[in-house]
Amino acid sequence: MPLYPSGSPASRTRAERFDALVLEALEPIEERWSMELADLDVAVDDVPEVPSGTRSPVDDEAVLGDGEVPLARLVPAGMDRRGAVTRARIVLYRRPLEARALDGEDLADLLHDVLVEQVAGYLNVEPDTIAGED
C-alpha cells in the first residue's frame, strides 16, 4: 500500500517534481515573451551526453555550465539526421541542477536563472531583459 495517495505531490517521482518546477520557473517568462518563444521547446534530460574524446562540453557557447559541468544547452533549430526540420529547444540537465541546489526553493531559483540565461541567448538579448529588470 502506498504511503501517499497517488496524484498527491508527495507521490510524484523526483523527475516529476523537477518537471513541475521547470514549468513553474518557465511560466512567468512565457507569459511575458509568449510570441517570441512560440517556436522554442524546453526539454529535460537526466544528464548531459558527453561523447568520449571530445573537448569540454562547457566550451560550447550554447552550453550553460558550472565549472566543467553542463547545466543546460540551447539547441538551435535545424535538421535531424533524417532531414526533418527540428525546432529550437532548451535542454535542462536535471541531475547536475539538482546537485547544485540546497533545497527545493534554491532549485526553483536556479532553474529560473538558467532559463533566463538560455532564453536570453535564444532571443539574443541581455538576461536582465528576460528577467524583467529592464
Side-chain angles (χ1 to χ4, degrees):
M1 181 157 117
L3 193 54
Y4 301 101
S6 68
S8 73
S11 71
R12 289 191 264 179
T13 67
R14 202 169 164 172
E16 289 170 334
R17 289 190 302 271
F18 185 87
D19 291 348
L21 282 174
V22 169
L23 292 174
E24 284 178 34
L26 187 58
E27 187 176 2
I29 297 169
E30 280 189 326
E31 283 178 8
R32 186 161 187 230
W33 298 95
S34 62
M35 296 294 287
E36 294 84 354
L37 301 180
D39 294 326
L40 177 71
D41 294 329
V42 176
V44 174
D45 282 347
D46 281 341
V47 293
E49 254 186 63
V50 182
S52 62
T54 60
R55 64 191 173 136
S56 172
V58 295
D59 289 343
D60 183 341
E61 69 181 44
V63 174
L64 177 63
D66 180 14
E68 290 294 308
V69 180
L71 302 178
R73 174 186 293 276
L74 176 60
V75 181
M79 289 198 176
D80 67 12
R81 290 181 219 135
R82 292 168 281 168
V85 176
T86 61
R87 291 165 47 104
R89 72 186 175 284
I90 294 170
V91 181
L92 301 168
Y93 301 118
R94 180 177 65 86
R95 286 178 151 171
L97 286 161
E98 287 176 334
R100 275 143 189 81
L102 301 173
D103 55 31
E105 187 175 324
D106 191 38
L107 180 57
D109 290 343
L110 178 58
L111 282 170
H112 174 77
D113 293 347
V114 167
L115 285 167
V116 163
E117 288 283 331
Q118 294 296 87
V119 168
Y122 173 71
L123 296 177
N124 200 26
V125 299
E126 289 298 314
D128 288 349
T129 303
I130 301 302
E133 300 169 14
D134 47 357

